[in-house]
């Protein structure tokens, strides 16, 4: 499934809009400042699908709650910028700082790719999700990666 993720800056709760290949909005991501940052992924009917939080304690990290599961993403500096993911066997390949990366299974099978693109929606990201069962989680990870690139006060954890 091909989706396009575009930053939405229309109002104060704006986050991202996710379009399908026919330019129809599939998901909306709203943002609100609380203790950190809270992002919510909503479907076209306004139903809550995923909650993403950016937390700042001893280090900066994201938590994702979707599909009755809980995940933690911690920015890491290895050969490339990436996330360590807790709660899933998926792993990153690529470089978050470049805006292009892949999500892989433990066996190395690609389940999602993201790359910067320019399309009729403007500048954004193209997502190719191959594991539709985990579409919400993979979309939530892409939102975290794009917020990571947007916010300038992240500090990576060296590994």
């Amino acid at each position: 499934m091909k989706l396009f993720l575009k930053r939405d800056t229309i109002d104060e709760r704006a986050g991202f809009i996710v379009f399908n290949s026919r330019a129809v909005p599939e998901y909306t991501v709203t943002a609100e400042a609380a203790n950190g940052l809270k992002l919510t992924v909503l479907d076209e009917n306004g139903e809550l699908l995923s909650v993403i939080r950016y937390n700042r304690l001893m280090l900066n990290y994201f938590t994702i709650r979707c599909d009755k599961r809980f995940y933690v993403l911690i920015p890491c500096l290895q050969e490339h910028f990436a996330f360590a993911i807790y709660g899933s066997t998926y792993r990153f390949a690529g470089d978050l700082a470049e805006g292009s990366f892949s999500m892989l299974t433990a066996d190395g099978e690609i389940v999602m790719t993201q790359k910067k693109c320019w399309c009729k929606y403007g500048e954004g990201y193209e997502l190719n999700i191959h594991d539709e069962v985990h579409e919400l989680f993979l979309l939530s990870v892409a939102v975290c990666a794009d917020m990571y690139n947007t916010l300038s006060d992240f500090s990576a954890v060296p590994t």
Side-chain angles (χ1 to χ4, degrees):
M1 165 181 286
K2 186 179 283 193
L3 297 173
F4 296 92
L5 182 64
K6 177 163 178 13
R7 191 92 170 114
D8 180 21
T9 56
I10 294 174
D11 63 33
E12 68 275 356
R13 292 198 57 203
F16 296 92
I17 296 177
V18 182
F19 298 94
N20 63 21
S21 58
R22 296 181 314 272
V24 176
E26 295 249 338
Y27 304 103
T28 302
V29 181
T30 61
E32 65 183 76
N35 293 337
L37 181 65
K38 178 182 174 184
L39 301 155
T40 53
V41 179
L42 308 166
D43 68 6
E44 65 274 0
N45 299 322
E47 183 179 335
L48 178 66
L49 302 173
S50 178
V51 176
I52 303 165
R53 291 189 183 272
Y54 164 62
N55 302 287
R56 300 170 89 164
L57 292 174
M58 296 298 282
L59 57 115
N60 300 329
Y61 64 98
F62 286 98
T63 59
I64 299 172
R65 186 175 303 275
C66 69
D67 294 331
K68 300 179 183 176
R69 304 266 330 255
F70 184 78
Y71 307 92
V72 178
L73 280 66
I74 300 175
C76 295
L77 181 59
Q78 299 171 347
E79 292 177 16
H80 303 283
F81 252 173
F83 283 123
I85 303 173
Y86 298 93
S88 173
T89 58
Y90 291 155
R91 61 184 176 87
F92 273 88
D95 191 349
L96 290 177
E98 297 293 321
S100 299
F101 66 88
S102 296
M103 293 286 293
L104 309 172
T105 64
D107 297 331
E109 181 182 338
I110 295 175
V111 292
M112 181 183 78
T113 59
Q114 174 181 300
K115 66 180 179 179
K116 285 184 180 180
C117 71
W118 185 267
C119 57
K120 55 186 161 190
Y121 325 112
E123 185 177 18
Y125 298 93
E126 178 183 309
L127 307 175
N128 286 306
I129 298 176
H130 306 288
D131 182 1
E132 292 184 19
V133 172
H134 296 106
E135 177 181 338
L136 285 176
F137 169 66
L138 294 168
L139 175 62
S140 298
V141 170
V143 168
C144 291
D146 299 333
M147 285 305 297
Y148 179 88
N149 285 331
T150 302
L151 300 174
S152 61
D153 63 347
F154 279 94
S155 61
V157 176
T159 59

